[in-house]
Amino acid sequence: MKIKHILAATAALSLLVVAAGCSSKTTHADKTSSKTLTVVFLPSESSKEMTPVRTALSKVLHKATGKKINVQTTTDYNVAIQALASGKAQLGLLGPDSYIEARKQNSAVNPLVTYSGESGTLKDAHYNSYVMVPKAKADSYKDGGSYSLKKVKGQKISFVSATSTSGFAVPAGAIAAANGVKKTDLQQGGGFFDKVLYGQSHPGSAVNLFNGDVDVAAFDDIDLVNYGKFTNDATKAGAIFKINDDAPAPLDKAKGKESVAISVAQVQNEPLAINDKTVSKADRAKIIKALTAQSTTDNPIFFSKPDAKKPGLFTQTGKVHFMAISDKWYAPTHEVLGK
């Protein structure tokens, strides 16, 4: 399971490699032979706490390709999507929805690797997306003893970003289906919802809930594990998430607070995606070999033990490791998201 997930970038890691100094007139050969790669991270991977991960990834990419690696952080999902689709970005650890949107804009975008499930295979390579409410108010969202998404109508809600898979697409889809509305009806307040906020990251969406700015919030588990833990079954409605007493910013002021999931959905693990028109086949193969190597799996900055004092990007439970994949594996997500 991914620890970030910080976690999650579901999907939770989300990074991009952008070719430095390339203009719109740069030739295909120039792009693939560039001696510099700039790594751009999505909101959930752009925090100060993720600095060791960004540094470690840069070292792996440099060793694999021999190229200089520059790091750039971002606070906007769309920047990552457009950069990868346009060819300014070579690689991107994106959420499934962001990846599919990038591929929709340019079919040259393909998944390179994802991380396996505990079994060491792709059979359980997924994480969870939640619709959360404060624990003290959880019972008010029940109908006949079961939690109901119909109860969120007229509430104030926080999503992560309109381009986040587990922070919008999946939870909004569940809410839309339960209430007979369209996902687009849920993107702004004054309609189905009284108010709609965007946290711009999974921790940010959680902050909106625990600060009392909203009644309901969507976020996943992989991006929140560094801040708290589930005290019961995390795979079902009724899952309780509690913020750790030593939680770092931005959830340091929510220590000890609890939320309850009124809806849970599985999301396929996010891919490290590639724009195949901007990376040579040789470098493509080298990057896959480096990320799937045992040395990467054994690196605690990428895959740390569950009880590690300094959590890594992913939690090493079972046989978790990077695996090479193709777009065919994402067929279920393509179907769910309608893209």
Side-chain angles (χ1 to χ4, degrees):
M1 296 176 67
K2 188 175 179 179
I3 193 158
K4 313 183 258 211
H5 160 146
I6 260 177
L7 118 325
T10 118
L13 244 230
S14 290
L15 66 92
L16 294 172
V17 179
V18 182
C22 290
S23 70
S24 59
K25 296 182 179 181
T26 303
T27 65
H28 176 71
D30 287 335
K31 290 181 179 179
T32 60
S33 62
S34 173
K35 295 182 179 180
T36 301
L37 295 175
T38 299
V39 186
V40 180
F41 292 80
L42 295 179
S44 294
E45 285 73 43
S46 293
S47 67
K48 180 179 179 181
E49 290 73 26
M50 291 294 288
T51 299
V53 172
R54 295 193 293 269
T55 300
L57 181 63
S58 296
K59 289 181 178 179
V60 170
L61 293 174
H62 172 68
K63 185 176 181 179
T65 65
K67 296 183 177 181
K68 179 181 178 181
I69 309 298
N70 292 329
V71 171
Q72 179 181 340
T73 56
T74 182
T75 59
D76 191 334
Y77 278 69
N78 288 313
V79 170
I81 293 171
Q82 294 171 8
L84 187 61
S86 69
K88 292 181 179 179
Q90 283 71 67
L91 299 170
L93 182 57
L94 307 178
D97 186 57
S98 297
Y99 154 66
I100 290 173
E101 179 58 36
R103 181 176 172 81
K104 181 180 179 182
Q105 294 181 25
N106 188 342
S107 60
V109 174
N110 287 290
L112 196 63
V113 299
T114 190
Y115 57 98
S116 74
E118 293 183 16
S119 67
T121 71
L122 295 174
K123 291 182 179 180
D124 54 348
H126 54 74
Y127 56 104
N128 298 305
S129 170
Y130 303 90
V131 176
M132 288 278 190
V133 299
K135 184 179 179 181
K137 299 181 180 179
D139 286 346
S140 65
Y141 292 88
K142 286 184 176 181
D143 185 1
S146 299
Y147 291 107
S148 173
L149 288 176
K150 291 184 178 180
K151 296 287 186 176
V152 302
K153 184 176 182 180
Q155 301 282 287
K156 298 181 179 67
I157 191 168
S158 174
F159 291 113
V160 174
S161 165
T163 54
S164 171
T165 306
S166 54
F168 178 77
V170 171
I175 293 171
N179 290 277
V181 298
K182 298 179 180 179
K183 281 197 296 184
T184 51
D185 296 332
L186 310 180
Q187 292 183 322
Q188 57 186 357
F192 181 85
F193 289 118
D194 176 51
K195 185 177 183 180
V196 176
L197 298 181
Y198 291 97
Q200 298 307 320
S201 70
H202 290 269
S205 186
V207 166
N208 287 337
L209 179 68
F210 290 117
N211 279 356
D213 295 325
V214 296
D215 308 298
V216 186
F219 52 82
D220 64 28
D221 50 5
I222 59 175
D223 292 288
L224 271 296
V225 175
N226 267 12
Y227 303 90
K229 61 183 179 182
F230 287 89
T231 58
N232 59 352
D233 190 344
T235 67
K236 299 178 181 179
I240 299 173
F241 183 72
K242 183 177 182 179
I243 300 299
N244 293 333
D245 290 335
D246 59 351
L251 286 162
D252 52 318
K253 295 181 180 180
K255 297 175 181 179
K257 291 188 177 181
E258 298 176 286
S259 63
V260 172
I262 61 174
S263 176
V264 184
Q266 289 185 351
V267 181
Q268 286 182 287
N269 288 350
E270 65 268 37
L272 173 64
I274 186 171
N275 185 316
D276 278 317
K277 288 187 177 180
T278 64
V279 179
S280 69
K281 290 183 178 180
D283 280 342
R284 191 185 204 277
K286 291 175 182 177
I287 293 171
I288 291 177
K289 183 177 180 179
L291 290 174
T292 58
Q294 190 63 44
S295 58
T296 299
T297 302
D298 293 340
N299 189 334
I301 295 180
F302 292 118
F303 299 98
S304 62
K305 298 299 181 181
D307 57 352
K309 292 183 178 180
K310 293 183 179 181
L313 180 62
F314 307 100
T315 302
Q316 181 49 272
T317 53
K319 302 177 181 179
V320 178
H321 64 286
F322 285 119
M323 297 182 68
I325 53 170
S326 70
D327 181 66
K328 291 183 179 179
W329 186 67
Y330 282 103
T333 299
H334 277 285
E335 183 176 354
V336 169
L337 299 178
K339 298 179 180 180

